[in-house]
Amino acid sequence: MEKENKKVSFSGIQPSGDLTIGNYLGAIKNWVSMQKDYESFYCIVDLHAITVRQDPKELRSRTLKNLAIYIASGLDPVKNTLFIKSHVPAHSEAAWLLNCFSYTGELGRMTQFKDKSQKIGESVSVGLFTYPVLMAADILLYNTNVVPVGNDQKQHVELSRDIAIRFNNLYGQTFVVPEPLIAGSGARIMDLQNPEKKMSKSVENPNAYILILDSPNIIRKKINRAVTDDYAEVRYTEDQPGISNLINILSTITNVSQEDIVKRYEGLGYAGFKSDVAEALVEELAPVQNRIKELLDDKSYLEKIYSESAEKANYIANKTLRKMQKKIGLVLR
Ligand code: AMP
Ligand code: TRP
C-alpha cells in the first residue's frame, strides 16, 4: 500500500511515572501491531504530565526513558514518528484555540478529572481541567483517523470527536473526526492488589502494579502475591476479578483466547497458573528490558530520533494550525 493512502494513527503516554504493563499491554503492544498498516505518530506527552507536579530532573529522564521504551517494544523509529510534545509548539497554540470551542460543562463531566481532582483536593490546576482539550489538539493536528488507547481514555477521544464536529459545523470541513481504537483483552489491566481498579503507576503499594522494567524475580513475586479468591478454579467470571485479570494478561501476551486458557487450566489450582503468567511476562519483557538499557546508553541516537521526528511533526501540525487560524479569522502573516 502507498504511504499516502494509509490511515493515520496517533497516541501518547504521559511521562508521569515509570510505565506499567497496563501501558504496555493496553497501548504500546497495540501500536506495534499496527505499524505496518498505519501512518503513525506516537508522542511522549510531557505537557500533559505537568498538569500535576513533577520533579524536573525525573521528568526529563523519564521522557527519554519512555522514548527508549517505545523503540525497545518494537516501534520502528523510521516508520513511526516518535516525538516529544513540547518540541511541537503548535499543540499548545491549537489547544488555546480549541479551549474557546469547548464547554466547562463537558470538561467537568470527564471521569479522569473527577477522580484526579478529588484526590488532589484544593490545588487542582486549570491545566488538569483543560487536559482533554490539549489531547484533542494532539489528535486533530495530525488528521488522525484512529487513536489506539486503553479503555480509560475512550471518554477523552469521544470529547475530541465532539470538538472536531463542532468546529467543522461552524467553519466547514477542517478536521478528520477520529475514532478510539480500544485493545482487546489488554484494554483494562487491573490492579493486582485491588482488581476492581485499573492498574496505575500512581498507587502507593508496589505490589499493585508490574513495571515494564521490573526484574524477573520482582515480577514472579508480584504475580505470586496477586489477590485471587477461594474458588480455586481458573475461570473468567465477574466474581473472580483477580483471576480474570491474570487471564487477560496471559491472553494478551500469548494471543490465546480467554476461553482456551480457562480450558487449559481446568481442574488445576492457582499455583501453576500464576507461575505460567509470571513466566510469560518475564519472557515477553526480558528482550525489551535489554534493549531499553542499550538505548539509554546511546543518548545521541535517541536525540537524533526525537529531533528528526520533531521536524516532521512540526511540519504537519503547523499546516493544520494555519488552517484553523484562517478559518477562525486570525490575520496570517
Ligand atoms: P497514561 O499512563 O495515563 O498516560 O496512559 C497511557 C496509555 O496507557 C493510555 O492509552 C491508557 O489507556 C493506557 N493504560 C494505562 N493504564 C492502563 C491499564 N491499567 N490497562 C490498560 N491500558 C492502560
Ligand atoms: N491522556 C492520555 C492518557 O493519559 C495521554 C494522551 C495525551 C493521549 N494526548 C493523547 C492519548 C492523544 C491518545 C492521543 O493516557
Side-chain angles (χ1 to χ4, degrees), residues 223-259:
I223 292 291
N224 197 25
R225 288 180 190 157
V227 166
T228 55
D229 50 60
D230 299 329
Y231 291 101
E233 253 181 85
V234 177
R235 277 185 315 201
Y236 194 73
T237 64
E238 268 179 27
D239 42 330
Q240 295 181 248
I243 288 293
S244 299
N245 187 36
L246 296 179
I247 294 176
N248 275 338
I249 292 174
L250 189 59
S251 164
T252 315
I253 296 175
T254 58
N255 266 327
V256 177
S257 70
Q258 285 102 340
E259 300 77 60

Side-chain angles (χ1 to χ4, degrees), residues 6-10 38-39 41 136-147 168 173-179 315-321 323-324:
K6 284 185 177 177
K7 288 198 166 180
V8 175
S9 166
F10 186 102
Y38 289 83
E39 166 79 11
F41 297 84
D138 298 348
I139 296 169
L140 300 180
L141 281 174
Y142 296 86
N143 306 311
T144 301
N145 301 101
V146 297
V147 187
N168 286 347
Q173 181 57 37
T174 310
F175 296 125
V176 173
V177 179
E179 303 266 354
Y315 177 77
I316 299 171
N318 283 334
K319 251 169 74 173
T320 311
L321 179 65
K323 194 153 103 180
M324 292 166 73

Side-chain angles (χ1 to χ4, degrees), residues 65 94 114 155 209 264 282 302 309:
K65 202 197 267 178
K114 285 197 272 189
Q155 196 185 29
Y209 52 75
R264 187 184 301 169
V282 168
L302 293 178
S309 299

Side-chain angles (χ1 to χ4, degrees), residues 12-14 22-23 26-27 149-150 152-153 186-189 198-199 201:
I13 299 182
Q14 305 184 61
N23 300 122
V149 283
D152 62 312
Q153 293 300 316
R188 208 167 150 71
I189 302 298
K198 80 159 189 173
M199 181 182 286
K201 51 200 173 203

Side-chain angles (χ1 to χ4, degrees), residues 54-109:
Q54 301 293 335
D55 176 81
K57 239 172 130 179
E58 278 189 18
L59 177 62
R60 204 168 291 124
S61 81
R62 259 198 248 107
T63 300
L64 277 190
K65 202 197 267 178
N66 282 15
L67 177 61
I69 291 176
Y70 287 6
I71 300 169
S73 301
L75 287 174
D76 179 338
V78 176
K79 289 201 194 111
N80 303 277
T81 308
L82 309 176
F83 70 103
I84 298 170
K85 182 156 62 185
S86 58
H87 292 176
V88 187
H91 289 247
S92 308
E93 285 191 53
W96 172 257
L97 301 182
L98 294 180
N99 264 327
C100 301
F101 298 89
S102 308
Y103 303 141
T104 55
E106 60 193 357
L107 292 179
R109 280 195 294 276

